C-alpha cells in the first residue's frame, strides 16, 4: 500500500516557461526510439511536401510558411522526431528569414506509401515545438502585449496536439499573459 501511495501524486498541471529558461518535463518522451531526424526523408523531400501540401492539414498561416520554406533554403531545420505507437513523425522547424534564431513554424511529416506527408503546420511568434508524452506535440508561442519589445514577451501560450484517428487535433490552449492565466 505504501508503494501505491507514493507512486500517486498531485497533478502538477502544465507549466509554461520562457524559452530562454525552459524547465525539464516530468514526462519527457524517449525520442531516441524514433531514430535519426533525417530519416526517412531529407530536408529537400520535406521542403517539397510542405510546398505542395500547405493548406491541407494545418493550423495558422501555412501558405506564408510554405513561401518562407520555398524562398529560404537555410530556414528549414530538423528537430527531434517522435513516435506515436509504431508510427514515426519527423519534425522540422521554420526560422524567420530575417531573424534566423526565431522559429515561426513547426511542421510534422509522416510517411505514407513511401512518400512524405504533411500532417500539421503550427505557426506563431517565437515558437517552440517539441515532442510530448504519448506521441503528442507541444507548441509553445510567445504572447505580446502592446508595447512589448521582440525580446521580451509578456506571456506564453501552450497547446498540445494529439494524434486522433490519424490526424493531429489541437487540445486545450493554456495562455499566460502579464501574469494572468
Amino acid at each position: 500500500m505504501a508503494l501505491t501511495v507514493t507512486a500517486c501524486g498531485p497533478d502538477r498541471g502544465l507549466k509554461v516557461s520562457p524559452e530562454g529558461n525552459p524547465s525539464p518535463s516530468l514526462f519527457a518522451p524517449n525520442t531516441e526510439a524514433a531514430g535519426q531526424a533525417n530519416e526517412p526523408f531529407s530536408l529537400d523531400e520535406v521542403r517539397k511536401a510542405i510546398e505542395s501540401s500547405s493548406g491541407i492539414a494545418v493550423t495558422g498561416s501555412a501558405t506564408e510558411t510554405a513561401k518562407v520554406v520555398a524562398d529560404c533554403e537555410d530556414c528549414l531545420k530538423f528537430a527531434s522526431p517522435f513516435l506515436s505507437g509504431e508510427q514515426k513523425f519527423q519534425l522540422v522547424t521554420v526560422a524567420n528569414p530575417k531573424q534566423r534564431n526565431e522559429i515561426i513554424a513547426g511542421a510534422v511529416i509522416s510517411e505514407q506509401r513511401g512518400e512524405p506527408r504533411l500532417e500539421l503546420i503550427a505557426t506563431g511568434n517565437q515558437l517552440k515545438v517539441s515532442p510530448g508524452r504519448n506521441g503528442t506535440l507541444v507548441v509553445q508561442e510567445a504572447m505580446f502585449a502592446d508595447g512589448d519589445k521582440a525580446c521580451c514577451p509578456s506571456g506564453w501560450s501552450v497547446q498540445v496536439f494529439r494524434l486522433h484517428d490519424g490526424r493531429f487535433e489541437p487540445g486545450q490552449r493554456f495562455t499566460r499573459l502579464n501574469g494572468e492565466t
Side-chain angles (χ1 to χ4, degrees):
M1 173 126 166
L3 181 60
T4 304
V5 172
T6 58
C8 298
D11 180 4
R12 296 178 193 247
L14 182 63
K15 180 178 179 184
V16 180
S17 301
E19 187 173 349
N21 190 20
S23 68
S25 170
L26 292 173
F27 306 108
N30 179 4
T31 56
E32 266 184 41
Q36 298 296 316
N38 62 347
E39 293 176 352
F41 303 111
S42 68
L43 275 180
D44 286 337
E45 291 169 308
V46 169
R47 180 184 316 282
K48 289 175 188 168
I50 292 171
E51 290 172 9
S52 65
S53 312
S54 68
I56 294 174
V58 299
T59 179
S61 201
T63 53
E64 291 174 24
T65 302
K67 183 172 178 6
V68 170
V69 167
D71 294 343
C72 179
E73 190 150 325
D74 296 333
C75 291
L76 193 65
K77 302 280 183 209
F78 282 115
S80 296
F82 62 101
L83 296 174
S84 181
E86 296 291 316
Q87 187 173 13
K88 177 179 180 174
F89 293 94
Q90 286 178 278
L91 181 58
V92 295
T93 59
V94 181
N96 180 335
K98 295 180 180 167
Q99 295 174 314
R100 301 270 169 90
N101 63 338
E102 178 186 348
I103 303 300
I104 58 170
V108 179
I109 307 293
S110 71
E111 181 177 2
Q112 187 176 39
R113 290 181 234 128
E115 297 292 323
R117 175 186 159 128
L118 176 65
E119 298 289 347
L120 175 76
I121 292 180
T123 62
N125 295 310
Q126 298 179 11
L127 217 63
K128 182 178 181 186
V129 183
S130 54
R133 186 173 138 195
N134 298 327
T136 60
L137 183 70
V138 180
V139 178
Q140 182 174 319
E141 174 186 8
M143 301 297 293
F144 293 89
D146 290 340
D148 283 353
K149 295 180 183 178
C151 70
C152 310
S154 292
W156 298 88
S157 176
V158 175
Q159 188 162 29
V160 177
F161 290 83
R162 298 184 191 288
L163 191 63
H164 180 71
D165 292 334
R167 294 181 46 112
F168 279 94
E169 295 181 354
Q172 187 173 0
R173 180 181 294 262
F174 300 92
T175 303
R176 183 173 180 97
L177 186 60
N178 291 326
E180 296 179 19
T181 303

